[in-house]
Amino acid sequence: MTEEPIIQIKNAYKNFGHIEAVYDVSLDVQIGEVLVIIGPSGGGKSTLLRCINRLEVIDKGEIIVDGVSVNNPKNINKIRAEIGIVFQLFNLFPHLTALENITLAQQVVRNRKKKEAEEIAHYQLQKVGIGEKWNSYPSHLSGGQQQRVAIARSLAMDPKIMLFDEPTSALDPEMIKGVLDVMLALAEEGMTMVVVSHEMGFVKAAADRIAFLDFGRLVELTTPDQLFNNPKTERTREFLSQILE
Amino acid sequence: MTNHRSKPPADSTGKEIPGSSFDRPGLIIPWKDLPWWAVIILIVGVYIGYIMLTNVKYIEALTFVLDLPWHKETLQVDDISENGDWLLTSKTSLGPGKYTLYVEYLDENDNVVGQSEKFNIQITSDAIDYALEPLTIPSEEYITLDSTRPTISGSSPEGERAILYDDFSRKPRLILLNIWRSDGLFLTLRVTMISFSSALILGLLFGLMRVADRSPDLRKNIFIRLLIGLVMIILAGIFTSLPEDIWKIALFVISVEGLMVLFPAIPYTLSTLYVEVMRGLPMLVIILYMGFAITPALRNASGGWITGEIDLRGMPSAIIGLSIGYGAYLTEVFRGGIESIPKGQMEAARSLGMSYFQAMGYVILPQAIRVILPPLGNDFIAMLKDSSLISVIALPEMLQRGRLWISRTFRAFEGYNSVAILYLLMTLGLSLLVRFIERRTSID
Ligand SMILES: Nc1ncnc2c1ncn2[C@@H]1O[C@H](COP(=O)(O)OP(=O)(O)OP(=O)(O)O)[C@@H](O)[C@H]1O
Ligand SMILES: [Mg+2]
């Protein structure tokens, strides 16, 4: 690809006290690419993802998103509005309805009129398949429905990048498919996505590349085929055999 | 099935009606929220109320403590002459408008023995301050006067003294105004509400400062801060005379720039200091301080401008004292409420591009409010009780009125009972309300 990568991570380090959560990680993500991050618990997947929109601040190195450095940004809020993030525990606003969850940031950050924001919200809810639930509070929605509202909330901001941090790991098995379908459709549309997930179905169907993180280090970064059929290190092989059981 | 009675009622289809049997429509009394002790208190209260309201002394004490300003204002008091004639001129000038004046006759023990008919008068807008020929004939129609100090005369078959009243019972605006001015119960409520509102603002501001970063990055924007410090030093040099001594100037520069370097850490430090100091002082000490130390000191320091132009004595200093004292407690309530909201909420809001304060205002605080409503209610009740402390700076609130009545009648028992009953009525009612809110907010 000749185009400039939309995410550039250059020798990023992040420590929590003595824990090396991210250690000398460098990787690029191209426009429209789906990058999946896998790795054992505590490997630093969430931390790396959160560094991209500066929920965590790296200690060393540089992260450039869409041509702007997030190390010392003039306007972090503007950059964040371009990066959607979906959390493991949804983090919907419990005091607002599904619709209000989606319109709030549009009105406050994107300065859209209420009516316009609501139209977009209805459209996004329809797209994630729960259009009829617009007036429900999060506590009245199932986990899968909540996660889809959370995805719609991010999409309504017209992000250039979507980050997913284990979006299905807090869901009951029968809910997982609905959320994965939404993510697959999004990947199909050409959204740039960085996804932390161990859902092999999704990985095989959508991933362009896979990164394997262990002890904060980027152990491998290849295509799914390469990784599954011909893992480079013993550590990767071990981990894969565990999750593919 | 062993216990049939505990089963909720079933409808005709055999399916169970959802919800408990308390959810019957049409029942307005919130039985669920009414604890059993409230019922006992209600019964005892009715009993005590009966005893009190059939006892003249209690009624007298209660009226004095309540100081209800319903319908009359004294304009002048004078003796009635031997032959029963009286002549009264309003002491104060009346503004333009319509008035209903009448006179009450008192015997030697100050008991009311009769009253005159009503005089309706209208004072013109260009009326001047002089007393007019006495009005002798009461009238239903409004008599237009160009004097602001009407004189009224008549004769009374009995009575020793006469009081000229302005009856404003049909003027809601005046009643409100008099409620605003009256002592006793309304002074207590007024002071509590004003102080609580300002304590809420203080609590919110300092609460937000309390949850600010406690070890912020001092390097961020440091040059801008140092520059601001430099500008302040130069401005200080221009507008005030800096000390001659080079060491003193150096000390001044170092302190200002030092504070600017530490500036990001100041909100947390300052609010913590405020909370710790204020919570460590008894409310009584704070109020005495405000009334007898700070206010006079401010007057001296401002060359008499404060408590000359701006009068801080009395109510203002009481309100300031209560507000800053309770502001510290409310700060902790707000901090607790904000910190009780999961971290993910702030992260989700910030990830969507909201600023810190937008996230606070739209996401965190609306949720925190539900958490802190009950403790806020409890602090309101506590403040209502603590407002009795302002009697030490001689404000005629409920307790002070009660003591005044006791010092006149030497009936301590009735006096303090009346004060206690009035406080209890308010605090018990409010705590029921708080319970109700607590249940409501804990449901969802
Ligand atoms: N805020 C924090 N404070 C201290 N340590 C942290 C913090 N966040 C993460 N860590 C530590 O950093 C390391 C990496 O954490 P991270 O959450 O990125 O792992 P992960 O790969 O996402 O794991 P999981 O699969 O369990 O979510 C872990 O050892 C974790 O304990
Ligand atoms: Mg994680």
Side-chain angles (χ1 to χ4, degrees), chain B residues 143-159:
Chain B
I143 306 164
T144 305
L145 301 181
D146 59 355
S147 146
T148 61
R149 297 204 291 135
T151 305
I152 287 172
S153 76
S155 84
S156 151
E158 58 226 311

Side-chain angles (χ1 to χ4, degrees), chain A residues 31-162:
Chain A
I31 293 173
E33 189 184 14
V34 176
L35 174 73
V36 172
I37 303 176
I38 61 171
S41 178
K45 307 181 293 293
S46 302
T47 308
L48 181 64
L49 204 68
R50 291 156 58 83
C51 285
I52 295 175
N53 76 344
R54 211 180 148 86
L55 281 180
E56 306 286 359
V57 184
I58 52 173
D59 300 329
K60 238 176 11 176
E62 190 172 26
I63 297 181
I64 298 171
V65 174
D66 198 18
V68 185
S69 167
V70 284
N71 281 30
N72 231 333
K74 272 200 224 78
N75 192 348
I76 185 65
N77 298 326
K78 219 170 132 195
I79 300 171
R80 280 182 176 149
E82 308 290 340
I83 309 174
I85 181 162
V86 176
F87 301 91
Q88 187 173 356
L89 295 174
F90 331 132
N91 293 351
L92 289 182
F93 308 135
H95 62 299
L96 301 177
T97 63
L99 191 80
E100 289 163 348
N101 261 282
I102 304 175
T103 53
L104 177 62
Q106 292 188 64
Q107 290 176 267
V108 174
V109 179
R110 289 267 188 253
N111 292 324
R112 289 179 188 151
K113 293 273 171 301
K114 186 160 185 254
K115 196 158 162 287
E116 186 193 357
E118 282 180 353
E119 272 166 23
I120 294 172
H122 278 298
Y123 168 75
Q124 292 293 352
L125 279 173
Q126 213 78 51
K127 217 170 112 181
V128 299
I130 45 170
E132 76 285 4
K133 292 284 185 189
W134 61 275
N135 207 15
S136 304
Y137 282 91
S139 56
H140 296 187
L141 296 173
S142 74
Q145 289 168 336
Q146 288 190 50
Q147 193 60 295
R148 283 187 272 172
V149 173
I151 294 174
R153 178 174 70 179
S154 289
L155 289 179
M157 300 296 286
D158 302 326
K160 294 185 177 151
I161 302 164
M162 284 290 288

Side-chain angles (χ1 to χ4, degrees), chain B residues 22 63 84 111 137 154 161 213 226 266 269-270 308 315 407 437:
Chain B
F22 283 118
T63 335
N111 291 324
I137 309 150
R161 289 181 339 123
D213 200 348
L226 287 178
I266 285 177
T269 320
L270 198 69
M315 215 164 100
S407 70
I437 293 172

